[in-house]
Amino acid sequence: MKSAPLPHSKITEMVAGLHRLAHNLWWTWNQGAQEIFQELSPRGWQNLYHNGVAILHEVSDYELRSRLQDPELASRVCEVLEDFNSYMNEPSTWGNQNAPALRQNPVVYFTAEFGFHETLPIAAGGLGILAGDHAKSASDLGIGFVGISLFYREGYFQQAFNHENWQSEYYTLLNPKNLPVEPVLDAKGGPIVCCVDIGMNEVFFQAWRVNVGRNPVYLLDTNRPENEQRFRDLTLRVYGGDSTTRIMQEILLGVGGVRLMRALDVDASTYHMNEGHAAFLVLELIREKLACGKTLETATTETRRECIFTTHTPVEAGHDRFDPDLMGYALSKWPSLLKISSEDLMKMGRVNGSDQDETFCMTVLALKFSRAANGVSELHGQISREMWQVLYPGKTVNEVPIGHITNGIHLMGWMKGPVRRFWKSKLSDSIMSPSSGAIAASSKRKSGQSLEREVNSPEFWQRLADPSFITDEELWALRYKLRRELIEFARRRLLLQGHRLTQGDFIAFDHLLNPDALTIGFARRFATYKRAPLIFEQFHDVVKLVSDHQQPIQFIFAGKAHPRDDEGKRYIQRVIHLSKYSDLKGHLVFIENYDVHVARQMVSGCDVWLNNPRRPLEASGTSGQKISCHGGLNLSIMDGWWREGYDGTNGFSIGGDTHPESIELQDRMDSENLYKTLTQEVIPCFYNRDAQGIPREWISKIRRAMVTLVPQFNTWRMVQDYTKKYYLTK
Ligand SMILES: *Cc1c(COP(=O)(O)O)cnc(C)c1O
């Protein structure tokens, strides 16, 4: 069949549409859009690390226009652009119905890191990923939301290892032209430049806008010719440098963020501080009010009414503290700007204001100047109330005004391609009940959209409990597919990692890991409280488990240690040593350079996700939430979100809902309990097969996990909670 060539204007429109699409992170959670970029240059897709903007540079305009004459590609491009358009212009969002006021006066969300996608590597870990998922769901829900963070030109570090398997860090310079960011310009087309006071200096900054669906996120960048070099480099790295760099970055984030909002005429209803890093914003809000002639008391009261604060960790080192000298230097202009003494400024961040020895704590500043505060799981809320009770004299622990909202994940951003396709095909096979949004069985396209609509609803996941909707055999086939994809990914990465290979090693790579074996994953920051090597405490027993021919298990590890965390680096070194030189070789691998892409492979392919932090230090944790929609099961200490998620049927718990005082005792008990649960529950259940080779009991746990966990532990629910509980209540 012949089709007429597309007119010039239509092609031009599609090309412009693709560029718009590449500059909106919406495509990172839309399968069709990703497939188009991938198809335009499959090799570029791999080598440019899934970067739509870079793909459109790789493919010349001439090539693009020619290829759009392929009617099949053109029709898919049109479809995706239409979906994008209707997403952007959807009139009846949850936010429009439930939080219309926020459209005029948005929530401005301040965070030191945002983790959106592997192409924009400006997050160090879970805090940034959570912020990114928060922003994506705020867009999906149609909530007025603006994000503020810093543009780290060298991002977070890349991980490398020396011959002793000791982690070293290197940095690559990001090129904004090749990123989904756009310069923030004024009406004349020049960059909008603002400034903040740091020490006795004026430090100038510009901003980059990241389009996250319907909402903007602004990244502040001090790399301006007006600045001295040391200030141009202020935004070079995520948490880079010493506490001097840290305090300067935080002044920029908090104070600069507010100033940018003024320059852009954004009239915020609420300033949300995601962790204490952003808390200097309260200084700027108070300063503005004083400059309008208000009293300090009025300015303070009004500022408190505008701010909310989320604390993310009970780990002491997670709370920034600055000593009086550093405060005096970095904030030298601020006492006079606030018309207070430098001692009074220090008091704003002290529990006991008159204690000259107490450092300035950003968490204290944030708590003192917020109308509401929360932890990120029920237990973490409780622990935070205990931690900060000293700030509220006269109140019992339970009266301390710190609540909780349990973290979640952005489902469509985490769900791997094959799983989306699987659910989509299931949806298009079924005629859904009118109440959950009727779709025509024939229309593949409609069903695709409806996955995005349905994916957060309990009803959707409830149907999965029904084996007549999806059979055990189908689910097991999906698990096999995902496990194999992960194992092949691991083999590829390990081959690239192994630079001093012998010929024997080289051949061995395709025999590394066993696609039939129970695959246990552990990937996250190598902060020591997460106890990555805990399982290997029982080394000889674990060796027996991995070498069991009937019921083998295997491990895939990944993660970065903070550049200055030698203990964390020792943990990694230990895991790599075991993977290379012990009897675990071939059954344990360490994938280098953990990031969002590695995470997506791991959370989809692993059968079991291991989480063994020292309770109660894992405030929530989110990586385990990413596995349920892929059919993985959690094996976790009863800490953070898992304490709320686990119901006895939907995964495995290590130990109970308590922990001893003594850390040594705790480590020993947890290690024993971990081994016990693994050998008495996890392995027998996984290998309990029927005549067809299907682990029925295991699969019923997978169904239970999907029904009970997925609709609860996602950011669609979480951002609604923030909206109802905090954003809309003043
Ligand atoms: C989800 C995620 C995390 C958070 O993992 P936790 O186990 O919750 O600490 C960290 N890094 C990356 C890249 C992630 O995707």
Side-chain angles (χ1 to χ4, degrees):
M1 204 170 76
K2 263 202 272 181
S3 51
L6 284 170
H8 188 76
S9 61
K10 180 70 192 163
I11 297 275
T12 303
E13 194 187 307
M14 279 196 279
V15 170
L18 281 173
H19 280 276
R20 240 189 344 271
L21 184 67
H23 279 91
N24 190 312
L25 292 181
W26 178 83
W27 72 260
T28 65
W29 68 94
N30 181 277
Q31 188 69 24
Q34 289 173 52
E35 283 166 6
I36 286 166
F37 291 129
Q38 178 170 19
E39 182 174 335
L40 285 175
S41 168
R43 190 157 172 79
W45 179 251
Q46 227 178 49
N47 292 347
L48 301 167
Y49 218 38
H50 323 125
N51 181 337
V53 175
I55 291 278
L56 292 183
H57 288 159
E58 158 70 22
V59 177
S60 70
D61 207 40
Y62 187 74
E63 176 183 342
L64 188 56
R65 300 184 73 94
S66 307
R67 291 188 55 190
L68 287 171
Q69 288 295 353
D70 168 1
E72 196 273 331
L73 179 63
S75 88
R76 275 191 296 132
V77 169
C78 286
E79 227 170 67
V80 165
L81 292 177
E82 254 173 58
D83 286 351
F84 179 45
N85 248 337
S86 48
Y87 176 89
M88 294 298 282
N89 299 307
E90 167 74 53
S92 60
T93 61
W94 184 90
N96 274 346
Q97 281 152 19
N98 295 278
L102 299 181
R103 301 230 52 94
Q104 271 305 312
N105 302 105
V107 174
V108 184
Y109 180 94
F110 287 65
T111 179
E113 37 172 321
F114 265 118
F116 294 116
H117 186 254
E118 54 266 31
T119 52
L120 198 56
I122 55 170
L127 179 70
I129 304 289
L130 177 84
D133 284 3
H134 190 126
K136 290 173 191 174
S137 282
S139 167
D140 289 347
L141 287 162
I143 286 170
F145 176 95
V146 176
I148 302 276
S149 191
L150 305 186
F151 182 72
Y152 302 105
R153 201 167 276 264
E154 292 190 341
Y156 197 53
F157 72 87
Q158 310 281 315
Q159 186 180 46
F161 291 91
N162 70 10
H163 61 284
E164 290 173 323
N165 300 310
W166 188 255
Q167 173 185 296
S168 59
E169 301 85 28
Y170 68 97
Y171 294 84
T172 48
L173 204 60
L174 300 173
N175 178 358
K177 284 205 175 63
N178 265 337
L179 296 175
V181 302
E182 296 168 340
V184 177
L185 305 174
D186 61 20
K188 293 199 217 86
I192 290 185
V193 178
C194 307
C195 85
V196 291
D197 300 302
I198 298 180
M200 295 312 286
N201 308 276
E202 285 193 311
V203 175
F204 295 86
F205 66 90
Q206 59 196 3
W208 302 90
R209 188 180 55 244
V210 185
N211 300 306
V212 185
R214 304 179 175 103
N215 296 323
V217 164
Y218 296 100
L219 305 177
L220 316 185
D221 175 13
T222 55
N223 187 23
R224 293 286 314 163
E226 299 89 335
N227 292 332
E228 288 171 43
Q229 192 61 41
R230 64 188 175 119
F231 291 123
R232 293 186 72 152
D233 290 343
L234 182 57
T235 46
L236 211 50
R237 297 174 179 179
V238 189
Y239 307 136
D242 51 11
S243 50
T244 308
T245 308
R246 182 65 82 93
I247 196 172
M248 290 180 178
Q249 285 186 337
E250 296 187 357
I251 293 170
L252 175 67
L253 176 65
V255 178
V258 175
R259 293 199 181 159
L260 182 72
M261 291 303 90
R262 298 296 174 257
L264 294 174
D265 248 339
V266 173
D267 191 6
S269 56
T270 291
Y271 297 87
H272 185 171
M273 294 176 257
N274 187 47
E275 199 43 291
H277 309 124
F280 285 139
L281 71 85
V282 306
L283 302 186
E284 175 65 2
L285 293 177
I286 294 173
R287 186 199 63 80
E288 288 181 330
K289 294 176 180 65
L290 294 175
C292 298
K294 293 179 178 162
T295 65
L296 183 60
E297 200 190 332
T298 310
T300 305
T301 311
E302 288 183 10
T303 296
R304 194 174 286 122
R305 216 178 289 141
E306 292 173 324
C307 296
I308 68 165
F309 170 56
T310 302
T311 176
H312 283 269
T313 182
V315 177
E316 192 47 51
H319 300 263
D320 282 322
R321 288 179 178 279
F322 302 118
D323 63 40
D325 282 353
L326 184 55
M327 286 288 293
Y329 160 69
L331 293 169
S332 56
K333 287 191 191 166
W334 279 85
S336 70
L337 289 172
L338 298 177
K339 305 186 177 79
I340 57 178
S341 67
S342 48
E343 192 50 28
D344 284 339
L345 181 60
M346 280 302 290
K347 281 182 187 169
M348 292 170 79
R350 278 184 184 145
V351 174
N352 176 0
S354 56
D355 179 357
Q356 304 267 335
D357 292 330
E358 199 182 317
T359 50
F360 186 97
C361 177
M362 296 297 275
T363 305
V364 173
L365 177 68
L367 284 170
K368 282 190 180 177
F369 293 90
S370 295
R371 70 170 185 260
N374 70 291
V376 288
S377 70
E378 185 187 72
L379 182 60
H380 178 235
Q382 171 68 23
I383 298 292
S384 302
R385 286 189 288 279
E386 288 165 18
M387 250 179 110
W388 299 109
Q389 185 187 12
V390 285
L391 273 179
Y392 308 89
K395 287 202 194 303
T396 65
V397 168
N398 287 334
E399 289 165 352
V400 169
I402 301 177
H404 82 272
I405 288 180
T406 306
N407 283 345
I409 56 150
H410 181 255
L411 271 171
M412 290 313 282
W414 282 106
M415 202 182 280
K416 211 181 172 205
V419 178
R420 293 162 184 251
R421 278 190 288 275
F422 181 68
W423 302 137
K424 280 188 190 193
S425 72
K426 281 286 140 193
L427 277 174
S428 63
D429 289 348
S430 77
I431 307 211
M432 290 156 42
S433 67
S435 64
S436 55
I439 52 159
S442 60
S443 168
K444 278 243 153 64
R445 175 160 142 63
K446 280 267 167 50
S447 72
Q449 284 180 321
S450 86
L451 176 64
E452 269 98 59
R453 247 199 336 264
E454 302 276 319
V455 73
N456 297 294
S457 80
E459 295 76 23
F460 175 79
W461 297 96
Q462 191 64 50
R463 272 195 311 238
L464 299 181
D466 179 4
S468 66
F469 186 64
I470 291 171
T471 63
D472 285 356
E473 284 74 8
E474 283 175 298
L475 268 179
W476 194 233
L478 179 70
R479 285 304 312 152
Y480 250 103
K481 182 180 170 65
L482 294 169
R483 191 186 312 116
R484 172 161 288 278
E485 282 187 4
L486 168 61
I487 286 171
E488 298 197 346
F489 170 77
R491 289 172 177 170
R492 229 169 24 247
R493 286 288 287 248
L494 268 102
L495 187 63
L496 293 172
Q497 275 167 220
H499 22 90
R500 273 168 297 275
L501 296 172
T502 66
Q503 191 61 27
D505 287 336
F506 203 81
I507 294 162
F509 274 104
D510 275 346
H511 299 284
L512 206 60
L513 302 171
N514 172 358
D516 291 307
L518 169 61
T519 303
I520 300 175
F522 182 104
R524 43 180 66 81
R525 286 184 306 117
F526 266 55
T528 45
Y529 77 86
K530 293 174 187 264
R531 298 188 297 190
L534 189 73
I535 177 88
F536 306 119
E537 290 297 308
Q538 321 242 0
F539 178 73
H540 295 290
D541 295 319
V542 172
V543 168
K544 284 197 202 104
L545 297 179
V546 301
S547 15
D548 184 324
H549 291 296
Q550 300 302 313
Q551 308 195 338
I553 65 170
Q554 59 193 0
F555 299 93
I556 302 182
F557 274 62
K560 293 174 173 177
H562 187 276
R564 282 193 306 278
D565 179 7
D566 280 352
E567 196 56 28
K569 291 185 184 184
R570 257 190 288 282
Y571 279 15
I572 298 182
Q573 187 179 41
R574 168 122 195 269
V575 172
I576 299 182
H577 268 288
L578 290 173
S579 76
K580 286 185 174 172
Y581 312 121
S582 83
D583 288 338
L584 295 176
K585 184 172 173 179
H587 311 284
L588 162 65
V589 299
F590 182 88
I591 298 177
E592 292 175 9
N593 228 359
Y594 184 53
D595 67 359
V596 171
H597 178 56
V598 177
R600 190 176 292 105
Q601 306 298 319
M602 288 189 63
V603 297
S604 55
C606 288
D607 298 293
V608 168
W609 196 251
L610 178 60
N611 180 44
N612 45 231
R614 203 171 273 142
R615 189 183 131 119
L617 298 184
E618 192 63 85
S620 166
T622 53
S623 59
Q625 300 172 346
K626 299 166 192 164
I627 72 163
S628 312
C629 66
H630 298 103
L633 295 176
N634 279 279
L635 166 60
S636 171
I637 296 279
M638 296 294 269
D639 199 7
W641 79 278
W642 186 238
R643 216 184 129 256
E644 294 154 55
Y646 179 63
D647 72 355
T649 68
N650 55 5
F652 305 94
S653 84
I654 304 168
D657 195 10
T658 56
H659 61 273
E661 283 284 320
S662 144
I663 286 182
E664 291 73 29
L665 182 59
Q666 184 179 11
D667 288 356
R668 201 175 64 239
M669 279 175 56
D670 288 347
S671 148
E672 285 167 11
N673 284 331
L674 166 53
Y675 184 75
K676 200 166 100 197
T677 309
L678 185 61
T679 51
Q680 294 180 4
E681 296 182 49
V682 181
I683 297 175
C685 183
F686 184 82
Y687 284 107
N688 177 12
R689 308 293 166 89
D690 69 1
Q692 285 80 49
I694 306 280
R696 304 284 168 189
E697 193 198 340
W698 187 267
I699 291 174
S700 81
K701 282 189 192 296
I702 292 178
R703 289 185 199 278
R704 285 290 301 157
M706 286 176 174
V707 171
T708 57
L709 304 175
V710 185
Q712 185 59 26
F713 298 98
N714 62 58
T715 41
W716 175 265
R717 183 272 310 156
M718 182 189 86
V719 175
Q720 287 184 25
D721 284 353
Y722 273 102
T723 306
K724 290 184 281 201
K725 198 165 169 186
Y726 295 127
Y727 294 162
L728 292 176
T729 51
K730 275 210 178 180

